[in-house]
Amino acid sequence: MAQVSMTVNGKAASGDVEGRTLLVQFLRENLHLTGTHVGCDTSQCGACVVHVNGKAVKACTMLAAEAEGAEVRTIEGMANADGSLNTVQQAFQDHHGLQCGFCTPGMVMSASALLAENPNPTETEIRAYLEGNICRCTGYHNIVKAIMAAAGQDVSKIAAE
Ligand code: FES
Ligand code: FES
């Protein structure tokens, strides 16, 4: 066991981990931040996406020890300071970008990282960026619509699915 320390959602966090402990395990089991989901064991689903130093990362592909000293943000750290939903979260709600919600934390984290890199993405760019996030429920249409709305784009002309 070794101690690992990082900043998670703006607060110092540390704990004892094994060398093989994944970042997603550290977040869920040590810090009880269970909004970051585990949906596969093949690094394909994207339910575990968090931000590490501002970049979207699948937290099942990174060791906790590799995040030593990093700034990590999880879905629990995405709401506005007053607790209200942020722009991306609100857009998912407004445009029905979720059904069961299992993929949603990862989708919101990926969408936020995309918009930080590219504030005005096209539908094609959004779909390409989300290739690492799997949703079993929505058919993606309303997720794409929500992200376009979060970017301030007019989604009224996008056909309903
Ligand atoms: S849990 Fe599926 S990609 Fe990480
Ligand atoms: S809303 Fe159910 S998996 Fe995406």
Side-chain angles (χ1 to χ4, degrees), residues 62 80 104 107:
M62 185 170 184
N80 296 320
T104 311
M107 288 288 183

Side-chain angles (χ1 to χ4, degrees), residues 65-137:
E66 291 179 294
E68 172 68 34
E71 292 272 346
V72 178
R73 189 159 296 273
T74 70
I75 191 67
E76 289 88 349
M78 292 302 279
N80 296 320
D82 65 0
S84 59
L85 298 180
N86 77 6
T87 305
V88 174
Q89 293 171 312
Q90 189 63 53
F92 270 69
Q93 184 177 81
D94 293 345
H95 295 278
H96 309 290
L98 64 147
Q99 289 180 26
C100 81
F102 192 84
C103 71
T104 311
M107 288 288 183
V108 168
M109 300 310 286
S110 289
S112 303
L114 166 63
L115 294 176
E117 270 174 40
N118 178 0
N120 201 20
T122 63
E123 181 175 346
T124 305
E125 287 170 337
I126 294 170
R127 288 184 185 276
Y129 196 89
L130 293 183
E131 273 178 4
N133 291 77
I134 293 173
C135 176
R136 293 172 299 177
C137 306

Side-chain angles (χ1 to χ4, degrees), residues 11-78:
K11 293 189 199 137
S14 60
D16 289 326
V17 297
E18 295 182 43
R20 64 182 178 175
T21 302
L22 298 170
L23 178 59
V24 71
Q25 289 175 291
F26 178 71
L27 294 171
R28 288 178 56 85
E29 294 167 24
N30 292 60
L31 304 185
H32 306 294
L33 294 172
T34 54
T36 302
H37 292 165
V38 177
C40 71
D41 56 10
T42 50
S43 303
Q44 284 177 314
C45 76
C48 63
V49 172
V50 299
H51 297 172
V52 177
N53 296 328
K55 299 278 181 212
V57 169
K58 288 180 173 174
C60 73
T61 64
M62 185 170 184
L63 295 170
E66 291 179 294
E68 172 68 34
E71 292 272 346
V72 178
R73 189 159 296 273
T74 70
I75 191 67
E76 289 88 349
M78 292 302 279

